[in-house]
Amino acid sequence: MSYEIAVASSDGKVVNQHFGKATNFLIFKVEGSNFKYLKLLETQSFCNYGEHDETELLSAVEALEGSRAVLVSQIGNGAANALKSKGIDAFDVRDFIEDALKKLIKYYSDIDKSTSLETSNLE
């Protein structure tokens, strides 16, 4: 199973951007237990000292459609819920990108195996 993960980072090394303030997301493609950089996605910052531009929030969420998850240093409930409504999980992470991706891939691998077992038991 392959999927994409979006990472909010200002330097390409560390997950260090608040979702609402991020203007760049690094998109990684995951296949099995491996990942590779796919592309840079540019978005508009929509958070301004606690005030949010709802249109820009929805635009950022739409731009991330197709991703299974977003790794950010911080995210508010409204943004997390908007992502979840599109089937995108949001994770608050403060770590090196490589380490965070490895942990998330392991997490999803465990979930996918569990779901697969549950589905096969129903058949």
Side-chain angles (χ1 to χ4, degrees):
M1 170 191 219
S2 69
Y3 54 91
E4 293 179 8
I5 298 174
V7 179
S9 176
S10 64
D11 62 7
K13 296 177 185 175
V14 178
V15 181
N16 63 1
Q17 296 251 290
H18 177 284
F19 181 77
K21 295 186 184 230
T23 56
N24 296 313
F25 288 90
L26 305 171
I27 307 298
F28 291 87
K29 182 171 186 149
V30 176
E31 292 187 41
S33 61
N34 300 309
F35 62 89
K36 67 178 179 178
Y37 173 77
L38 195 59
K39 63 185 174 184
L40 177 69
L41 176 66
E42 295 181 3
T43 62
Q44 292 286 334
S45 171
F46 61 86
C47 181
N48 187 19
Y49 302 105
E51 298 293 321
H52 296 89
D53 182 317
E54 193 70 22
T55 302
E56 292 297 333
L57 164 61
L58 296 176
S59 178
V61 170
E62 287 174 12
L64 293 166
E65 279 192 74
S67 296
R68 185 172 186 180
V70 176
L71 300 178
V72 296
S73 64
Q74 188 175 355
I75 188 167
N77 288 336
N81 289 335
L83 288 165
K84 192 66 175 170
S85 75
K86 298 292 185 180
I88 304 169
D89 296 325
F91 295 91
D92 290 357
V93 177
R94 288 179 182 84
D95 204 345
F96 287 101
I97 292 171
E98 183 175 349
D99 294 339
L101 287 171
K102 287 177 182 176
K103 291 172 189 173
L104 187 60
I105 291 166
K106 168 90 171 80
Y107 170 78
Y108 278 136
S109 176
D110 292 346
I111 287 175
D112 293 342
K113 285 178 187 172
S114 175
T115 303
S116 176
L117 289 173
E118 290 173 9
T119 303
S120 66
N121 286 338
L122 294 174
E123 296 173 352

